[in-house]
């Protein structure tokens, strides 16, 4: 775990030095503190806590609006029985865009994640993931944004027998659109996931699930926002999830 933190800090420092060398219009580091209550913890189609609710706070650092950032994200069940599944995720990322204001505009994001299941031995259970995400806001008519993301998961210690087959790829194809109702904007989304061996040797290489969701945000006070969301998952492969799931999330965020 210590090596992972050193690597994350090193990547952040590279981003900071690059940002300073290039200059920045905003001299401040943006900080967003978020607390999310989720009625279920859904992760790439897997229902990790069953019917138990989850608390998921996070701190996100935006390095001078350069596209570089870092985040610490935490999840724990709001009931007993899931102590070994409590986690801290350490994330560094970079995002930017190409061909802005053209039909071929692309927004892209690269992220590295370290999954720290801290009540266990790090060398036995911790995971890492690399994610590439792309969205195309001007490609489709009617204000619809198309997106694609792919993630590669692997164990921190490949020599651990229980983790030997847990790595793999996942591919997510999505559509989203914002709809205004009066002054309130609702964000609609849907995506379809192909699990290519991600998260287990017993997982089928197949289309695993589709997700449908709607969310909206309210400004409660200055930079303090409240975002409720509702999601429905249609499960298509029993090796990932044997049931369809309906869940909600309630997020409170404050940006400095």
């Amino acid at each position: 775990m210590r090596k992972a933190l050193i690597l994350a800090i090193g990547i952040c420092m590279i981003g900071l030095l690059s940002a300073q060398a290039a200059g920045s219009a905003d001299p401040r580091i943006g900080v967003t503190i978020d607390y999310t209550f989720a009625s279920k913890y859904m992760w790439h189609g897997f229902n990790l806590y069953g019917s138990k609710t989850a608390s998921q706070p996070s701190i996100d650092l935006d390095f001078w609006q350069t596209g570089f950032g870092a985040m610490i994200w935490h999840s724990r069940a709001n009931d007993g029985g899931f102590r070994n599944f409590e986690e801290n995720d350490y994330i560094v990322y970079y995002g930017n865009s190409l061909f802005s204001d053209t039909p071929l505009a692309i927004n892209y994001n690269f992220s590295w994640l370290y999954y720290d299941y801290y009540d266990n031995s790090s060398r036995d259970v911790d995971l890492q993931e690399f994610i590439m995400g792309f969205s195309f806001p001007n490609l489709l008519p009617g204000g619809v944004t198309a997106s694609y993301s792919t993630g590669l998961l692997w164990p921190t210690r490949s020599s651990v027998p229980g983790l030997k087959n847990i790595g793999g790829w996942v591919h997510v194809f999505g559509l989203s659109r914002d709809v205004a109702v009066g002054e309130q904007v609702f964000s609609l989304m849907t995506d379809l996931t192909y699990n290519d061996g991600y998260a287990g040797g017993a997982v089928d290489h197949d289309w695993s699930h589709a997700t449908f969701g709607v969310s909206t945000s309210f400004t409660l006070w200055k930079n303090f926002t409240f975002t409720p969301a509702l999601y429905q998952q249609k499960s298509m492969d029993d090796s990932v999830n044997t049931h369809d799931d309906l869940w909600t999330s309630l997020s409170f965020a404050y940006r400095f």
Side-chain angles (χ1 to χ4, degrees):
M1 219 281 278
R2 183 169 58 184
K3 291 181 179 179
L5 288 177
I6 292 173
L7 177 60
I9 292 171
I11 295 174
C12 289
M13 290 303 298
I14 292 173
L16 286 170
L17 292 173
S18 300
Q20 288 180 325
S24 174
D26 190 342
R28 298 169 300 172
I29 294 179
V31 180
T32 301
I33 299 176
D34 180 277
Y35 170 80
T36 295
F37 170 89
S39 63
K40 293 181 180 181
Y41 179 12
M42 304 299 298
W43 180 73
H44 293 293
F46 298 90
N47 185 345
L48 297 188
Y49 294 163
S51 61
K52 306 301 182 182
T53 63
S55 290
Q56 298 174 333
S58 66
I59 299 176
D60 188 359
L61 303 179
D62 173 6
F63 297 136
W64 301 310
Q65 298 183 6
T66 60
F68 289 96
M71 176 185 291
I72 299 177
W73 185 88
H74 173 75
S75 182
R76 65 175 298 164
N78 293 322
D79 205 344
F82 293 92
R83 179 175 178 179
N84 288 336
F85 293 94
E86 295 177 2
E87 66 183 271
N88 286 327
D89 297 352
Y90 308 103
I91 306 164
V92 292
Y93 60 85
Y94 175 74
N96 212 323
S97 61
L98 294 171
F99 316 123
S100 299
D101 301 322
T102 75
L104 298 179
I106 301 173
N107 299 322
Y108 60 88
N109 185 283
F110 304 106
S111 304
W112 172 80
L113 296 82
Y114 186 97
Y115 295 91
D116 176 20
Y117 300 95
Y118 52 84
D119 280 325
N120 304 272
S121 171
S122 293
R123 63 190 306 170
D124 292 339
V125 299
D126 286 359
L127 304 171
Q128 298 181 55
E129 184 178 19
F130 179 71
I131 299 174
M132 297 183 294
F134 306 90
S135 65
F136 309 89
N138 301 333
L139 186 63
L140 300 178
V144 176
T145 296
S147 64
Y148 165 73
S149 66
T150 182
L152 174 63
L153 184 75
W154 69 93
T156 295
R157 290 289 297 267
S158 59
S159 60
V160 178
L163 298 180
K164 184 172 64 174
N165 296 318
I166 203 169
W169 291 88
V170 66
H171 306 276
V172 183
F173 304 85
L175 297 172
S176 62
R177 185 176 187 270
D178 288 343
V179 176
V181 179
E183 296 183 355
Q184 192 67 31
V185 177
F186 293 84
S187 297
L188 310 178
M189 62 77 64
T190 183
D191 60 35
L192 180 64
T193 296
Y194 184 87
N195 190 311
D196 196 14
Y198 185 93
V203 172
D204 295 334
H205 295 251
D206 204 349
W207 297 102
S208 60
H209 65 283
T211 309
F212 308 89
V214 57
S215 63
T216 190
S217 292
F218 302 91
T219 300
L220 301 181
W221 178 73
K222 293 184 178 179
N223 295 328
F224 183 47
T225 59
F226 167 58
T227 304
L230 176 67
Y231 300 97
Q232 171 71 42
Q233 175 174 303
K234 174 64 178 178
S235 298
M236 298 179 289
D237 186 271
D238 288 349
S239 68
V240 171
N241 197 330
T242 59
H243 299 91
D244 297 341
D245 285 284
L246 177 69
W247 75 99
T248 62
S249 67
L250 305 174
S251 297
F252 299 86
Y254 185 80
R255 180 175 176 82
F256 296 90

